[in-house]
Amino acid sequence: MNEYSEKDYRELNELSDKWQTEYESSIHFTELPDNQRVPAFFIISNFTDMMYNYHVQKPNEWEPDALEDVICDLFPRKISSDDDLYIAVEPVLTSYFEYLITKKHIKNTSNIEAIIYKCDTCNDYETKSKYNYNRHIKSCKGKRIKKSKEKII
């Protein structure tokens, strides 16, 4: 496991801000519906922050298990928001990851593709209110892990 560094964290935030600015003018972003574009910056910023603060992983180091922890556990426990935010998490991150791959900002595409697949395999967004979020995600967690491993192989 990598060691946490304030310098790396500051550099990551600068890079993340730059990529998000680029992303917001991309087709990946503009194709999202308004209710997903509005919270996109918040979702991506918090996701990137949690991936580093809890797993000490920069974008080229993102692993599917860490992503699952952030989306399935940390987001609902650490972020208090309305249902629209929880409904937007997976489609926003999926769109953002696809953008990063397209722009070749991320090199570990097999990991990122598994992450995108994990985000997309449990997409009954209407059930993801804050109340239902953890229960719904956990109900398809085993199915997602099995399918993501099959996809990688």
Side-chain angles (χ1 to χ4, degrees):
M1 178 174 201
N2 297 330
E3 195 169 312
Y4 182 90
S5 157
E6 277 297 320
K7 179 180 179 258
D8 286 348
Y9 180 67
R10 282 191 305 277
E11 290 172 0
L12 174 63
N13 282 329
E14 290 172 14
L15 181 63
S16 179
D17 288 346
K18 178 181 179 240
W19 285 356
Q20 285 184 67
T21 301
E22 294 171 2
Y23 168 67
E24 288 175 356
S25 62
S26 76
I27 190 77
H28 293 89
F29 179 78
T30 58
E31 286 181 342
L32 290 172
D34 288 343
N35 66 335
Q36 294 171 3
R37 282 196 308 263
V38 170
F41 185 85
F42 179 82
I43 291 168
I44 294 166
S45 295
N46 278 282
F47 169 78
T48 304
D49 188 66
M50 288 179 184
M51 288 295 286
Y52 190 76
N53 284 318
Y54 288 90
H55 296 281
V56 194
Q57 292 183 4
K58 298 180 210 172
N60 275 320
E61 301 163 343
W62 288 344
E63 295 289 334
D65 290 342
L67 171 112
E68 185 166 354
D69 179 51
V70 169
I71 289 179
C72 298
D73 183 44
L74 294 172
F75 256 87
R77 278 194 307 115
K78 303 289 184 179
I79 296 175
S80 180
S81 186
D82 61 12
D83 292 348
D84 289 343
L85 178 90
Y86 295 101
I87 292 167
V89 170
E90 288 179 316
V92 165
L93 290 178
T94 299
S95 170
Y96 184 61
F97 296 150
E98 289 171 348
Y99 166 78
L100 293 177
I101 290 169
T102 300
K103 290 296 184 179
K104 299 188 183 346
H105 289 317
I106 300 259
K107 293 181 175 74
N108 61 344
T109 58
S110 63
N111 284 339
I112 298 300
E113 287 168 2
I115 290 169
I116 290 170
Y117 187 76
K118 275 187 172 186
C119 283
D120 202 38
T121 54
C122 195
N123 61 5
D124 185 8
Y125 304 125
E126 288 71 31
T127 66
K128 289 184 188 165
S129 66
K130 181 162 175 75
Y131 177 77
N132 289 331
Y133 190 84
N134 265 337
R135 185 169 51 106
H136 174 71
I137 291 292
K138 287 178 181 175
S139 73
C140 44
K141 185 176 179 181
K143 177 176 68 175
R144 268 199 331 268
I145 291 169
K146 183 178 182 226
K147 286 185 177 181
S148 68
K149 286 180 181 174
E150 289 170 2
K151 183 172 181 176
I152 292 172
I153 296 172

PDB file of all heavy atoms in Angstrom, residues 11-44:
ATOM      1  N   GLU A  11      -1.311  17.773  -5.192  1.00  0.00           N
ATOM      2  CA  GLU A  11      -1.127  17.568  -6.633  1.00  0.00           C
ATOM      3  C   GLU A  11      -2.322  16.835  -7.241  1.00  0.00           C
ATOM      4  O   GLU A  11      -2.769  17.168  -8.341  1.00  0.00           O
ATOM      5  CB  GLU A  11       0.169  16.798  -6.901  1.00  0.00           C
ATOM      6  CG  GLU A  11       1.411  17.610  -6.624  1.00  0.00           C
ATOM      7  CD  GLU A  11       2.702  16.798  -6.705  1.00  0.00           C
ATOM      8  OE1 GLU A  11       2.642  15.569  -6.979  1.00  0.00           O
ATOM      9  OE2 GLU A  11       3.773  17.382  -6.476  1.00  0.00           O
ATOM     10  N   LEU A  12      -2.836  15.869  -6.519  1.00  0.00           N
ATOM     11  CA  LEU A  12      -4.008  15.136  -6.983  1.00  0.00           C
ATOM     12  C   LEU A  12      -5.210  16.068  -7.120  1.00  0.00           C
ATOM     13  O   LEU A  12      -5.943  16.007  -8.105  1.00  0.00           O
ATOM     14  CB  LEU A  12      -4.342  13.989  -6.024  1.00  0.00           C
ATOM     15  CG  LEU A  12      -5.626  13.216  -6.310  1.00  0.00           C
ATOM     16  CD1 LEU A  12      -5.555  12.515  -7.659  1.00  0.00           C
ATOM     17  CD2 LEU A  12      -5.902  12.233  -5.201  1.00  0.00           C
ATOM     18  N   ASN A  13      -5.406  16.948  -6.153  1.00  0.00           N
ATOM     19  CA  ASN A  13      -6.527  17.892  -6.225  1.00  0.00           C
ATOM     20  C   ASN A  13      -6.392  18.830  -7.418  1.00  0.00           C
ATOM     21  O   ASN A  13      -7.385  19.121  -8.098  1.00  0.00           O
ATOM     22  CB  ASN A  13      -6.654  18.693  -4.928  1.00  0.00           C
ATOM     23  CG  ASN A  13      -7.307  17.897  -3.829  1.00  0.00           C
ATOM     24  OD1 ASN A  13      -8.144  17.048  -4.086  1.00  0.00           O
ATOM     25  ND2 ASN A  13      -6.909  18.163  -2.597  1.00  0.00           N
ATOM     26  N   GLU A  14      -5.190  19.302  -7.682  1.00  0.00           N
ATOM     27  CA  GLU A  14      -4.960  20.168  -8.844  1.00  0.00           C
ATOM     28  C   GLU A  14      -5.256  19.415 -10.142  1.00  0.00           C
ATOM     29  O   GLU A  14      -5.925  19.934 -11.041  1.00  0.00           O
ATOM     30  CB  GLU A  14      -3.527  20.695  -8.857  1.00  0.00           C
ATOM     31  CG  GLU A  14      -3.250  21.705  -7.764  1.00  0.00           C
ATOM     32  CD  GLU A  14      -1.775  22.090  -7.667  1.00  0.00           C
ATOM     33  OE1 GLU A  14      -1.000  21.788  -8.599  1.00  0.00           O
ATOM     34  OE2 GLU A  14      -1.408  22.692  -6.644  1.00  0.00           O
ATOM     35  N   LEU A  15      -4.759  18.194 -10.244  1.00  0.00           N
ATOM     36  CA  LEU A  15      -4.997  17.377 -11.427  1.00  0.00           C
ATOM     37  C   LEU A  15      -6.484  17.071 -11.585  1.00  0.00           C
ATOM     38  O   LEU A  15      -7.040  17.172 -12.683  1.00  0.00           O
ATOM     39  CB  LEU A  15      -4.193  16.074 -11.339  1.00  0.00           C
ATOM     40  CG  LEU A  15      -4.321  15.124 -12.517  1.00  0.00           C
ATOM     41  CD1 LEU A  15      -3.792  15.778 -13.799  1.00  0.00           C
ATOM     42  CD2 LEU A  15      -3.577  13.828 -12.221  1.00  0.00           C
ATOM     43  N   SER A  16      -7.140  16.718 -10.491  1.00  0.00           N
ATOM     44  CA  SER A  16      -8.562  16.406 -10.523  1.00  0.00           C
ATOM     45  C   SER A  16      -9.381  17.612 -10.979  1.00  0.00           C
ATOM     46  O   SER A  16     -10.296  17.478 -11.804  1.00  0.00           O
ATOM     47  CB  SER A  16      -9.025  15.943  -9.141  1.00  0.00           C
ATOM     48  OG  SER A  16     -10.406  15.667  -9.138  1.00  0.00           O
ATOM     49  N   ASP A  17      -9.048  18.786 -10.479  1.00  0.00           N
ATOM     50  CA  ASP A  17      -9.749  20.015 -10.909  1.00  0.00           C
ATOM     51  C   ASP A  17      -9.559  20.258 -12.403  1.00  0.00           C
ATOM     52  O   ASP A  17     -10.512  20.610 -13.112  1.00  0.00           O
ATOM     53  CB  ASP A  17      -9.261  21.231 -10.115  1.00  0.00           C
ATOM     54  CG  ASP A  17      -9.742  21.224  -8.672  1.00  0.00           C
ATOM     55  OD1 ASP A  17     -10.647  20.441  -8.333  1.00  0.00           O
ATOM     56  OD2 ASP A  17      -9.192  22.023  -7.878  1.00  0.00           O
ATOM     57  N   LYS A  18      -8.350  20.047 -12.881  1.00  0.00           N
ATOM     58  CA  LYS A  18      -8.065  20.235 -14.312  1.00  0.00           C
ATOM     59  C   LYS A  18      -8.880  19.249 -15.155  1.00  0.00           C
ATOM     60  O   LYS A  18      -9.513  19.630 -16.144  1.00  0.00           O
ATOM     61  CB  LYS A  18      -6.570  20.054 -14.559  1.00  0.00           C
ATOM     62  CG  LYS A  18      -6.161  20.183 -16.014  1.00  0.00           C
ATOM     63  CD  LYS A  18      -4.657  19.969 -16.185  1.00  0.00           C
ATOM     64  CE  LYS A  18      -4.293  20.088 -17.632  1.00  0.00           C
ATOM     65  NZ  LYS A  18      -3.703  18.921 -18.188  1.00  0.00           N
ATOM     66  N   TRP A  19      -8.849  17.966 -14.771  1.00  0.00           N
ATOM     67  CA  TRP A  19      -9.582  16.956 -15.520  1.00  0.00           C
ATOM     68  C   TRP A  19     -11.082  17.211 -15.485  1.00  0.00           C
ATOM     69  O   TRP A  19     -11.782  17.005 -16.472  1.00  0.00           O
ATOM     70  CB  TRP A  19      -9.290  15.568 -14.975  1.00  0.00           C
ATOM     71  CG  TRP A  19      -7.934  15.040 -15.355  1.00  0.00           C
ATOM     72  CD1 TRP A  19      -7.011  15.633 -16.182  1.00  0.00           C
ATOM     73  CD2 TRP A  19      -7.357  13.818 -14.920  1.00  0.00           C
ATOM     74  NE1 TRP A  19      -5.890  14.838 -16.274  1.00  0.00           N
ATOM     75  CE2 TRP A  19      -6.078  13.722 -15.513  1.00  0.00           C
ATOM     76  CE3 TRP A  19      -7.784  12.801 -14.079  1.00  0.00           C
ATOM     77  CZ2 TRP A  19      -5.235  12.637 -15.293  1.00  0.00           C
ATOM     78  CZ3 TRP A  19      -6.947  11.720 -13.858  1.00  0.00           C
ATOM     79  CH2 TRP A  19      -5.681  11.641 -14.470  1.00  0.00           C
ATOM     80  N   GLN A  20     -11.601  17.663 -14.337  1.00  0.00           N
ATOM     81  CA  GLN A  20     -13.038  17.930 -14.242  1.00  0.00           C
ATOM     82  C   GLN A  20     -13.447  19.096 -15.134  1.00  0.00           C
ATOM     83  O   GLN A  20     -14.512  19.060 -15.751  1.00  0.00           O
ATOM     84  CB  GLN A  20     -13.436  18.212 -12.797  1.00  0.00           C
ATOM     85  CG  GLN A  20     -13.484  16.954 -11.964  1.00  0.00           C
ATOM     86  CD  GLN A  20     -13.961  17.236 -10.574  1.00  0.00           C
ATOM     87  OE1 GLN A  20     -15.116  17.600 -10.384  1.00  0.00           O
ATOM     88  NE2 GLN A  20     -13.078  17.092  -9.602  1.00  0.00           N
ATOM     89  N   THR A  21     -12.603  20.117 -15.211  1.00  0.00           N
ATOM     90  CA  THR A  21     -12.882  21.252 -16.097  1.00  0.00           C
ATOM     91  C   THR A  21     -12.936  20.781 -17.542  1.00  0.00           C
ATOM     92  O   THR A  21     -13.846  21.152 -18.292  1.00  0.00           O
ATOM     93  CB  THR A  21     -11.816  22.354 -15.917  1.00  0.00           C
ATOM     94  OG1 THR A  21     -11.834  22.775 -14.546  1.00  0.00           O
ATOM     95  CG2 THR A  21     -12.075  23.534 -16.815  1.00  0.00           C
ATOM     96  N   GLU A  22     -11.981  19.950 -17.941  1.00  0.00           N
ATOM     97  CA  GLU A  22     -11.981  19.382 -19.293  1.00  0.00           C
ATOM     98  C   GLU A  22     -13.217  18.509 -19.506  1.00  0.00           C
ATOM     99  O   GLU A  22     -13.867  18.586 -20.553  1.00  0.00           O
ATOM    100  CB  GLU A  22     -10.730  18.535 -19.523  1.00  0.00           C
ATOM    101  CG  GLU A  22      -9.431  19.300 -19.530  1.00  0.00           C
ATOM    102  CD  GLU A  22      -8.206  18.372 -19.543  1.00  0.00           C
ATOM    103  OE1 GLU A  22      -8.378  17.127 -19.582  1.00  0.00           O
ATOM    104  OE2 GLU A  22      -7.088  18.892 -19.500  1.00  0.00           O
ATOM    105  N   TYR A  23     -13.523  17.694 -18.525  1.00  0.00           N
ATOM    106  CA  TYR A  23     -14.663  16.776 -18.607  1.00  0.00           C
ATOM    107  C   TYR A  23     -15.970  17.542 -18.805  1.00  0.00           C
ATOM    108  O   TYR A  23     -16.826  17.133 -19.594  1.00  0.00           O
ATOM    109  CB  TYR A  23     -14.718  15.917 -17.340  1.00  0.00           C
ATOM    110  CG  TYR A  23     -15.990  15.124 -17.149  1.00  0.00           C
ATOM    111  CD1 TYR A  23     -16.324  14.078 -18.007  1.00  0.00           C
ATOM    112  CD2 TYR A  23     -16.847  15.420 -16.090  1.00  0.00           C
ATOM    113  CE1 TYR A  23     -17.488  13.344 -17.816  1.00  0.00           C
ATOM    114  CE2 TYR A  23     -18.013  14.689 -15.901  1.00  0.00           C
ATOM    115  CZ  TYR A  23     -18.325  13.661 -16.762  1.00  0.00           C
ATOM    116  OH  TYR A  23     -19.481  12.945 -16.571  1.00  0.00           O
ATOM    117  N   GLU A  24     -16.120  18.659 -18.121  1.00  0.00           N
ATOM    118  CA  GLU A  24     -17.366  19.430 -18.195  1.00  0.00           C
ATOM    119  C   GLU A  24     -17.621  20.027 -19.576  1.00  0.00           C
ATOM    120  O   GLU A  24     -18.745  20.438 -19.865  1.00  0.00           O
ATOM    121  CB  GLU A  24     -17.393  20.504 -17.116  1.00  0.00           C
ATOM    122  CG  GLU A  24     -17.601  19.902 -15.733  1.00  0.00           C
ATOM    123  CD  GLU A  24     -17.517  20.904 -14.603  1.00  0.00           C
ATOM    124  OE1 GLU A  24     -17.224  22.096 -14.860  1.00  0.00           O
ATOM    125  OE2 GLU A  24     -17.752  20.497 -13.458  1.00  0.00           O
ATOM    126  N   SER A  25     -16.608  20.070 -20.419  1.00  0.00           N
ATOM    127  CA  SER A  25     -16.831  20.550 -21.792  1.00  0.00           C
ATOM    128  C   SER A  25     -16.831  19.390 -22.797  1.00  0.00           C
ATOM    129  O   SER A  25     -16.834  19.613 -23.999  1.00  0.00           O
ATOM    130  CB  SER A  25     -15.778  21.602 -22.173  1.00  0.00           C
ATOM    131  OG  SER A  25     -14.496  21.029 -22.142  1.00  0.00           O
ATOM    132  N   SER A  26     -16.846  18.169 -22.292  1.00  0.00           N
ATOM    133  CA  SER A  26     -16.819  16.989 -23.171  1.00  0.00           C
ATOM    134  C   SER A  26     -18.223  16.488 -23.476  1.00  0.00           C
ATOM    135  O   SER A  26     -19.184  16.785 -22.766  1.00  0.00           O
ATOM    136  CB  SER A  26     -16.017  15.859 -22.510  1.00  0.00           C
ATOM    137  OG  SER A  26     -16.790  15.248 -21.487  1.00  0.00           O
ATOM    138  N   ILE A  27     -18.313  15.677 -24.509  1.00  0.00           N
ATOM    139  CA  ILE A  27     -19.570  15.039 -24.883  1.00  0.00           C
ATOM    140  C   ILE A  27     -20.034  14.074 -23.796  1.00  0.00           C
ATOM    141  O   ILE A  27     -21.231  13.902 -23.571  1.00  0.00           O
ATOM    142  CB  ILE A  27     -19.458  14.329 -26.265  1.00  0.00           C
ATOM    143  CG1 ILE A  27     -20.820  13.876 -26.769  1.00  0.00           C
ATOM    144  CG2 ILE A  27     -18.511  13.153 -26.201  1.00  0.00           C
ATOM    145  CD1 ILE A  27     -21.656  14.979 -27.319  1.00  0.00           C
ATOM    146  N   HIS A  28     -19.087  13.466 -23.078  1.00  0.00           N
ATOM    147  CA  HIS A  28     -19.434  12.544 -21.997  1.00  0.00           C
ATOM    148  C   HIS A  28     -20.278  13.260 -20.948  1.00  0.00           C
ATOM    149  O   HIS A  28     -21.254  12.708 -20.437  1.00  0.00           O
ATOM    150  CB  HIS A  28     -18.176  11.964 -21.337  1.00  0.00           C
ATOM    151  CG  HIS A  28     -17.398  11.082 -22.236  1.00  0.00           C
ATOM    152  ND1 HIS A  28     -16.406  11.555 -23.068  1.00  0.00           N
ATOM    153  CD2 HIS A  28     -17.470   9.752 -22.454  1.00  0.00           C
ATOM    154  CE1 HIS A  28     -15.900  10.556 -23.747  1.00  0.00           C
ATOM    155  NE2 HIS A  28     -16.524   9.441 -23.403  1.00  0.00           N
ATOM    156  N   PHE A  29     -19.891  14.489 -20.630  1.00  0.00           N
ATOM    157  CA  PHE A  29     -20.611  15.271 -19.623  1.00  0.00           C
ATOM    158  C   PHE A  29     -21.926  15.810 -20.179  1.00  0.00           C
ATOM    159  O   PHE A  29     -22.965  15.711 -19.528  1.00  0.00           O
ATOM    160  CB  PHE A  29     -19.731  16.423 -19.128  1.00  0.00           C
ATOM    161  CG  PHE A  29     -20.388  17.292 -18.100  1.00  0.00           C
ATOM    162  CD1 PHE A  29     -20.474  16.874 -16.782  1.00  0.00           C
ATOM    163  CD2 PHE A  29     -20.902  18.534 -18.435  1.00  0.00           C
ATOM    164  CE1 PHE A  29     -21.076  17.675 -15.824  1.00  0.00           C
ATOM    165  CE2 PHE A  29     -21.504  19.347 -17.488  1.00  0.00           C
ATOM    166  CZ  PHE A  29     -21.596  18.917 -16.181  1.00  0.00           C
ATOM    167  N   THR A  30     -21.884  16.379 -21.370  1.00  0.00           N
ATOM    168  CA  THR A  30     -23.088  17.013 -21.913  1.00  0.00           C
ATOM    169  C   THR A  30     -24.190  16.013 -22.224  1.00  0.00           C
ATOM    170  O   THR A  30     -25.356  16.395 -22.286  1.00  0.00           O
ATOM    171  CB  THR A  30     -22.766  17.857 -23.173  1.00  0.00           C
ATOM    172  OG1 THR A  30     -22.156  17.019 -24.155  1.00  0.00           O
ATOM    173  CG2 THR A  30     -21.842  19.016 -22.831  1.00  0.00           C
ATOM    174  N   GLU A  31     -23.844  14.746 -22.384  1.00  0.00           N
ATOM    175  CA  GLU A  31     -24.864  13.725 -22.613  1.00  0.00           C
ATOM    176  C   GLU A  31     -25.595  13.304 -21.338  1.00  0.00           C
ATOM    177  O   GLU A  31     -26.634  12.658 -21.410  1.00  0.00           O
ATOM    178  CB  GLU A  31     -24.259  12.494 -23.290  1.00  0.00           C
ATOM    179  CG  GLU A  31     -23.935  12.728 -24.745  1.00  0.00           C
ATOM    180  CD  GLU A  31     -23.353  11.503 -25.439  1.00  0.00           C
ATOM    181  OE1 GLU A  31     -22.879  10.573 -24.744  1.00  0.00           O
ATOM    182  OE2 GLU A  31     -23.368  11.475 -26.674  1.00  0.00           O
ATOM    183  N   LEU A  32     -25.046  13.678 -20.184  1.00  0.00           N
ATOM    184  CA  LEU A  32     -25.743  13.376 -18.933  1.00  0.00           C
ATOM    185  C   LEU A  32     -26.984  14.262 -18.822  1.00  0.00           C
ATOM    186  O   LEU A  32     -26.958  15.423 -19.230  1.00  0.00           O
ATOM    187  CB  LEU A  32     -24.837  13.659 -17.729  1.00  0.00           C
ATOM    188  CG  LEU A  32     -23.640  12.753 -17.493  1.00  0.00           C
ATOM    189  CD1 LEU A  32     -22.765  13.315 -16.383  1.00  0.00           C
ATOM    190  CD2 LEU A  32     -24.094  11.340 -17.152  1.00  0.00           C
ATOM    191  N   PRO A  33     -28.060  13.751 -18.236  1.00  0.00           N
ATOM    192  CA  PRO A  33     -29.218  14.614 -18.001  1.00  0.00           C
ATOM    193  C   PRO A  33     -28.887  15.686 -16.952  1.00  0.00           C
ATOM    194  O   PRO A  33     -27.940  15.525 -16.166  1.00  0.00           O
ATOM    195  CB  PRO A  33     -30.300  13.657 -17.487  1.00  0.00           C
ATOM    196  CG  PRO A  33     -29.632  12.377 -17.182  1.00  0.00           C
ATOM    197  CD  PRO A  33     -28.290  12.371 -17.834  1.00  0.00           C
ATOM    198  N   ASP A  34     -29.651  16.759 -16.932  1.00  0.00           N
ATOM    199  CA  ASP A  34     -29.394  17.868 -16.000  1.00  0.00           C
ATOM    200  C   ASP A  34     -29.280  17.423 -14.551  1.00  0.00           C
ATOM    201  O   ASP A  34     -28.416  17.899 -13.822  1.00  0.00           O
ATOM    202  CB  ASP A  34     -30.501  18.931 -16.097  1.00  0.00           C
ATOM    203  CG  ASP A  34     -30.421  19.732 -17.378  1.00  0.00           C
ATOM    204  OD1 ASP A  34     -29.350  19.710 -18.032  1.00  0.00           O
ATOM    205  OD2 ASP A  34     -31.425  20.374 -17.731  1.00  0.00           O
ATOM    206  N   ASN A  35     -30.148  16.508 -14.130  1.00  0.00           N
ATOM    207  CA  ASN A  35     -30.132  16.084 -12.726  1.00  0.00           C
ATOM    208  C   ASN A  35     -28.875  15.287 -12.367  1.00  0.00           C
ATOM    209  O   ASN A  35     -28.624  15.036 -11.189  1.00  0.00           O
ATOM    210  CB  ASN A  35     -31.391  15.298 -12.372  1.00  0.00           C
ATOM    211  CG  ASN A  35     -31.502  13.975 -13.098  1.00  0.00           C
ATOM    212  OD1 ASN A  35     -30.938  13.779 -14.183  1.00  0.00           O
ATOM    213  ND2 ASN A  35     -32.238  13.053 -12.513  1.00  0.00           N
ATOM    214  N   GLN A  36     -28.066  14.899 -13.361  1.00  0.00           N
ATOM    215  CA  GLN A  36     -26.787  14.247 -13.100  1.00  0.00           C
ATOM    216  C   GLN A  36     -25.624  15.211 -13.312  1.00  0.00           C
ATOM    217  O   GLN A  36     -24.586  15.083 -12.659  1.00  0.00           O
ATOM    218  CB  GLN A  36     -26.628  13.004 -13.973  1.00  0.00           C
ATOM    219  CG  GLN A  36     -27.626  11.919 -13.612  1.00  0.00           C
ATOM    220  CD  GLN A  36     -27.635  10.767 -14.590  1.00  0.00           C
ATOM    221  OE1 GLN A  36     -26.861  10.718 -15.539  1.00  0.00           O
ATOM    222  NE2 GLN A  36     -28.539   9.831 -14.367  1.00  0.00           N
ATOM    223  N   ARG A  37     -25.785  16.180 -14.214  1.00  0.00           N
ATOM    224  CA  ARG A  37     -24.719  17.167 -14.433  1.00  0.00           C
ATOM    225  C   ARG A  37     -24.556  18.079 -13.222  1.00  0.00           C
ATOM    226  O   ARG A  37     -23.440  18.439 -12.871  1.00  0.00           O
ATOM    227  CB  ARG A  37     -24.996  18.001 -15.681  1.00  0.00           C
ATOM    228  CG  ARG A  37     -24.675  17.284 -16.966  1.00  0.00           C
ATOM    229  CD  ARG A  37     -24.571  18.216 -18.154  1.00  0.00           C
ATOM    230  NE  ARG A  37     -25.709  19.091 -18.333  1.00  0.00           N
ATOM    231  CZ  ARG A  37     -26.721  18.852 -19.151  1.00  0.00           C
ATOM    232  NH1 ARG A  37     -26.744  17.755 -19.878  1.00  0.00           N
ATOM    233  NH2 ARG A  37     -27.708  19.707 -19.257  1.00  0.00           N
ATOM    234  N   VAL A  38     -25.656  18.448 -12.598  1.00  0.00           N
ATOM    235  CA  VAL A  38     -25.593  19.388 -11.468  1.00  0.00           C
ATOM    236  C   VAL A  38     -24.687  18.869 -10.348  1.00  0.00           C
ATOM    237  O   VAL A  38     -23.799  19.590  -9.902  1.00  0.00           O
ATOM    238  CB  VAL A  38     -27.015  19.731 -10.959  1.00  0.00           C
ATOM    239  CG1 VAL A  38     -26.964  20.499  -9.659  1.00  0.00           C
ATOM    240  CG2 VAL A  38     -27.782  20.504 -12.022  1.00  0.00           C
ATOM    241  N   PRO A  39     -24.843  17.632  -9.877  1.00  0.00           N
ATOM    242  CA  PRO A  39     -23.973  17.172  -8.789  1.00  0.00           C
ATOM    243  C   PRO A  39     -22.651  16.544  -9.249  1.00  0.00           C
ATOM    244  O   PRO A  39     -21.882  16.044  -8.424  1.00  0.00           O
ATOM    245  CB  PRO A  39     -24.831  16.134  -8.075  1.00  0.00           C
ATOM    246  CG  PRO A  39     -25.634  15.518  -9.171  1.00  0.00           C
ATOM    247  CD  PRO A  39     -25.923  16.672 -10.121  1.00  0.00           C
ATOM    248  N   ALA A  40     -22.350  16.559 -10.543  1.00  0.00           N
ATOM    249  CA  ALA A  40     -21.177  15.840 -11.060  1.00  0.00           C
ATOM    250  C   ALA A  40     -19.873  16.293 -10.409  1.00  0.00           C
ATOM    251  O   ALA A  40     -19.056  15.464 -10.001  1.00  0.00           O
ATOM    252  CB  ALA A  40     -21.090  15.963 -12.579  1.00  0.00           C
ATOM    253  N   PHE A  41     -19.638  17.605 -10.321  1.00  0.00           N
ATOM    254  CA  PHE A  41     -18.389  18.091  -9.741  1.00  0.00           C
ATOM    255  C   PHE A  41     -18.259  17.614  -8.297  1.00  0.00           C
ATOM    256  O   PHE A  41     -17.201  17.146  -7.875  1.00  0.00           O
ATOM    257  CB  PHE A  41     -18.315  19.622  -9.816  1.00  0.00           C
ATOM    258  CG  PHE A  41     -17.001  20.173  -9.357  1.00  0.00           C
ATOM    259  CD1 PHE A  41     -15.926  20.256 -10.230  1.00  0.00           C
ATOM    260  CD2 PHE A  41     -16.827  20.594  -8.048  1.00  0.00           C
ATOM    261  CE1 PHE A  41     -14.701  20.749  -9.807  1.00  0.00           C
ATOM    262  CE2 PHE A  41     -15.592  21.086  -7.616  1.00  0.00           C
ATOM    263  CZ  PHE A  41     -14.539  21.166  -8.504  1.00  0.00           C
ATOM    264  N   PHE A  42     -19.347  17.703  -7.533  1.00  0.00           N
ATOM    265  CA  PHE A  42     -19.349  17.267  -6.142  1.00  0.00           C
ATOM    266  C   PHE A  42     -19.041  15.772  -6.033  1.00  0.00           C
ATOM    267  O   PHE A  42     -18.221  15.343  -5.223  1.00  0.00           O
ATOM    268  CB  PHE A  42     -20.708  17.586  -5.510  1.00  0.00           C
ATOM    269  CG  PHE A  42     -20.834  17.156  -4.086  1.00  0.00           C
ATOM    270  CD1 PHE A  42     -20.335  17.937  -3.061  1.00  0.00           C
ATOM    271  CD2 PHE A  42     -21.465  15.959  -3.765  1.00  0.00           C
ATOM    272  CE1 PHE A  42     -20.448  17.540  -1.739  1.00  0.00           C
ATOM    273  CE2 PHE A  42     -21.586  15.552  -2.449  1.00  0.00           C
ATOM    274  CZ  PHE A  42     -21.084  16.343  -1.424  1.00  0.00           C
ATOM    275  N   ILE A  43     -19.689  14.964  -6.871  1.00  0.00           N
ATOM    276  CA  ILE A  43     -19.496  13.510  -6.845  1.00  0.00           C
ATOM    277  C   ILE A  43     -18.056  13.143  -7.192  1.00  0.00           C
ATOM    278  O   ILE A  43     -17.401  12.381  -6.484  1.00  0.00           O
ATOM    279  CB  ILE A  43     -20.486  12.814  -7.803  1.00  0.00           C
ATOM    280  CG1 ILE A  43     -21.906  12.925  -7.262  1.00  0.00           C
ATOM    281  CG2 ILE A  43     -20.100  11.348  -8.034  1.00  0.00           C
ATOM    282  CD1 ILE A  43     -22.986  12.528  -8.265  1.00  0.00           C
ATOM    283  N   ILE A  44     -17.550  13.704  -8.279  1.00  0.00           N
ATOM    284  CA  ILE A  44     -16.189  13.370  -8.734  1.00  0.00           C
ATOM    285  C   ILE A  44     -15.150  13.841  -7.717  1.00  0.00           C
ATOM    286  O   ILE A  44     -14.207  13.109  -7.391  1.00  0.00           O
ATOM    287  CB  ILE A  44     -15.914  13.958 -10.128  1.00  0.00           C
ATOM    288  CG1 ILE A  44     -16.830  13.277 -11.155  1.00  0.00           C
ATOM    289  CG2 ILE A  44     -14.449  13.818 -10.513  1.00  0.00           C
ATOM    290  CD1 ILE A  44     -16.900  13.993 -12.498  1.00  0.00           C
TER     291      ILE A  44
END
